[in-house]
Amino acid sequence: MDPENTTSVTVLGGQWGDEGKGKVVDLLSAGVHAVVRYNGGHNAGHTVKFADRHFALHLVPSGVIHPGVRCYMGAGMVVDPTALLAEIDDLEHRGVRFDHRLMLSGRAAIILPTHQALDGARERARGEGSIGTTGRGIGPTYQDLAQRRVLRAYLLKEPHRFAVEASMLMEAHNRELELLYRVEPVDVAGAAARLEAAAARLAPLVGEVGPPILEHVRRGDSLLFEGAQGIMLDLYQGTYPFVTSSSCLPGAAAVSCGVPVAVLGPSLAVMKGYVTRVGGGPFPTELSGETGNHLRDRGHEFGTTTGRPRRCGWFDAVAARYAARVAGLDGIALMKLDVLDDLEELRIAVEYRLPGGGTCSEPPDDPQVLATVEPVYETLPGWRSRTAGLLDEKDLPARAAEYIRFIEERVGAPIVLVSTGPRREETLTRGDTVLARRLAGLIAGGSVREQP
Ligand code: IMP
């Protein structure tokens, strides 16, 4: 195996999630042989729009929409069997043919209905300090994984054994729900019957994902590793404790799939031209007034998974530069530039002023300090003309081009792709780095790729 032969790319969120990864992965999937999702569960919501079709994917890698692309779900994922089946059924109903293209790692962790109940109960118990989780049972499942009692997907191949082991764990969860949180227990017998039926249907998807991924590498295939959530929601490097429960960083893809990091290729972080966040936690550049509402309305900033309105704010180059450092980013895909078209001026946070005096150029590790920093802004003039739908960098208004260059310089990573609208085709590529050339090749490959 020679990783140098691969044309892999790792695509991940560069902010607090919801950056538009679905569109980027979909765009690049047209030219790849396989897409690998490596973390999280159905807390994610990846939206893909093309022609008059609109898909919201939560678990299945976005590449599945392209016929012939193989899809893998890594061991670092947490999977609710019922949610996965519902998503597969919905996609099939809408004309997506799976043709044995989807494989789920036997080592992935299984979310049970009691994990979801615990997620809700623990959030309520946190009160003011609640994280604002998606309520899908993600945290309690990763907690059971670390506690070494979670059920893993290989059990789906033995539905009866799976139902028995799931019942035992659900009974233990029910005791916690009743005694600690004083909430109604989950009906274990009913849940176990549904899980057994789901297991029987999902069993053929389960396998060891490392060997087929390495086989792709040996053949010189193009692979796309797809991360969920975002760098600032990473369990280790994000704004802890207001984070998700998995690692979203590129290296997590290797851990999740059991493959060397060398096969992951360059990393591309997706970031919006502004920032959004759902749930609790510090957000230094948050806008509460008219401009925040404008961004929310114009950018349709409501959650794909929960429908919650997203908090909106100016582009935060302090967080983005930190993200570029901890993830070793090779490039950025800048999304939703067109949402900024009407603004008179734009602000970008370039430093944080600390409550006790002085400034810092990286987000502090202490959430109490991060919650009280004041962003130091640079102000740039708005372009007040239409970038929506532009396909060529040369057509960008001069001030929009200046905004892009400013971000790139402050963050320290090249912006290789700019999105000017929700549709697949409303995208332009720029620059001449290895990553930029690889992306241009993948996008172009899409138009010539043979559809079986
Ligand atoms: P959990 O992942 O459901 O436990 O939620 C933990 C935090 O991550 C909350 O602030 C969620 O809003 C956030 N989060 C989880 N998944 C996503 C996502 O796909 N997009 C944006 N935020 C997310």
Side-chain angles (χ1 to χ4, degrees), residues 16-18 43-45 131-134 138 229 233 243-244 278-279 308:
W16 279 275
D18 306 321
N43 47 349
I131 292 164
T133 72
T134 58
I138 308 295
Q229 289 82 48
L233 286 172
V243 291
T244 192
V278 281
R308 291 182 287 181

Side-chain angles (χ1 to χ4, degrees), residues 179-261:
L179 297 175
L180 205 58
Y181 300 110
R182 312 255 169 234
V183 297
E184 279 291 300
V186 169
D187 163 22
V188 169
R194 282 190 297 278
L195 287 166
E196 188 167 346
R201 287 190 56 204
L202 290 173
L205 306 183
V206 179
E208 192 77 72
V209 302
I213 291 173
L214 289 177
E215 188 49 39
H216 283 293
V217 175
R218 265 185 216 105
R219 285 202 299 256
D221 286 354
S222 305
L223 289 163
L224 196 159
F225 293 88
E226 174 185 13
Q229 289 82 48
I231 297 169
M232 300 310 286
L233 286 172
D234 179 84
L235 179 62
Y236 303 94
Q237 307 295 344
T239 49
Y240 190 92
F242 301 96
V243 291
T244 192
S245 317
S246 65
S247 178
C248 317
L249 296 176
V255 176
S256 174
C257 301
V259 297
V261 281

Side-chain angles (χ1 to χ4, degrees), residues 7-87:
T7 47
S8 309
V9 174
T10 299
V11 176
L12 69 159
Q15 295 164 323
W16 279 275
D18 306 321
E19 302 91 347
K21 294 178 287 291
K23 169 172 166 168
V24 175
V25 172
D26 173 57
L27 185 69
L28 304 178
S29 294
V32 301
H33 297 86
V35 179
V36 185
R37 165 93 183 262
Y38 61 83
N39 73 304
H42 63 319
N43 47 349
H46 293 171
T47 311
V48 180
K49 292 183 184 173
F50 72 101
D52 58 347
R53 311 190 75 190
H54 178 162
F55 295 89
L57 297 153
H58 300 281
L59 277 165
V60 176
S62 317
V64 78
I65 292 163
H66 296 266
V69 173
R70 304 203 82 82
C71 295
Y72 300 94
M73 297 167 66
M77 288 190 70
V78 285
V79 177
D80 176 331
T82 325
L84 178 57
L85 265 185
E87 195 166 318

Side-chain angles (χ1 to χ4, degrees), residues 87-366:
E87 195 166 318
I88 291 172
D89 286 346
D90 180 52
L91 286 164
E92 280 187 328
H93 180 68
R94 300 179 64 194
V96 174
R97 284 176 46 210
F98 278 78
D99 297 327
H100 311 292
R101 291 186 293 131
L102 178 64
M103 186 187 240
L104 166 66
S105 167
R107 297 168 200 275
I110 297 290
I111 302 181
L112 300 171
T114 40
H115 285 123
Q116 188 160 351
L118 281 170
D119 197 356
R122 287 179 190 166
E123 275 287 86
R124 282 189 294 279
R126 282 187 194 108
E128 288 275 289
S130 81
I131 292 164
T133 72
T134 58
R136 300 291 191 267
I138 308 295
T141 307
Y142 279 117
Q143 186 178 351
D144 274 352
L145 173 68
Q147 212 170 328
R148 283 143 301 171
R149 65 171 190 176
V150 91
L151 304 187
R152 300 207 295 171
Y154 65 84
L155 281 171
L156 298 172
K157 292 190 282 190
E158 290 181 66
H160 183 65
R161 179 178 161 209
F162 172 58
V164 171
E165 294 199 18
S167 300
M168 288 193 296
L169 187 52
M170 287 191 289
E171 296 288 3
H173 289 154
N174 269 348
R175 284 193 287 280
E176 187 176 339
L177 284 166
E178 286 182 288
L179 297 175
L180 205 58
Y181 300 110
R182 312 255 169 234
V183 297
E184 279 291 300
V186 169
D187 163 22
V188 169
R194 282 190 297 278
L195 287 166
E196 188 167 346
R201 287 190 56 204
L202 290 173
L205 306 183
V206 179
E208 192 77 72
V209 302
I213 291 173
L214 289 177
E215 188 49 39
H216 283 293
V217 175
R218 265 185 216 105
R219 285 202 299 256
D221 286 354
S222 305
L223 289 163
L224 196 159
F225 293 88
E226 174 185 13
Q229 289 82 48
I231 297 169
M232 300 310 286
L233 286 172
D234 179 84
L235 179 62
Y236 303 94
Q237 307 295 344
T239 49
Y240 190 92
F242 301 96
V243 291
T244 192
S245 317
S246 65
S247 178
C248 317
L249 296 176
V255 176
S256 174
C257 301
V259 297
V261 281
V263 309
L264 305 179
S267 54
L268 173 69
V270 186
M271 299 190 185
K272 282 190 261 217
Y274 50 99
V275 175
T276 64
R277 171 161 210 178
V278 281
F283 180 1
T285 63
E286 182 167 15
L287 288 162
S288 50
E290 207 183 301
T291 313
N293 293 337
H294 174 81
L295 293 174
R296 188 173 307 107
D297 293 343
R298 183 75 209 262
H300 308 291
E301 296 297 353
F302 297 90
T304 316
T305 300
T306 57
R308 291 182 287 181
R310 296 178 183 143
R311 301 156 69 191
C312 298
W314 295 120
F315 189 87
D316 185 344
V318 181
R321 187 172 45 237
Y322 170 77
R325 174 175 75 76
V326 298
L329 297 181
D330 295 289
I332 295 170
L334 195 71
M335 312 302 284
K336 291 193 160 181
L337 188 72
D338 54 303
V339 170
L340 305 173
D341 281 356
D342 298 329
L343 295 176
E344 213 160 293
E345 56 175 37
L346 297 150
R347 291 181 175 193
I348 297 178
V350 293
E351 270 185 330
Y352 295 155
R353 194 167 287 121
L354 292 162
T359 58
C360 61
S361 56
E362 287 207 341
D365 47 15
D366 181 340

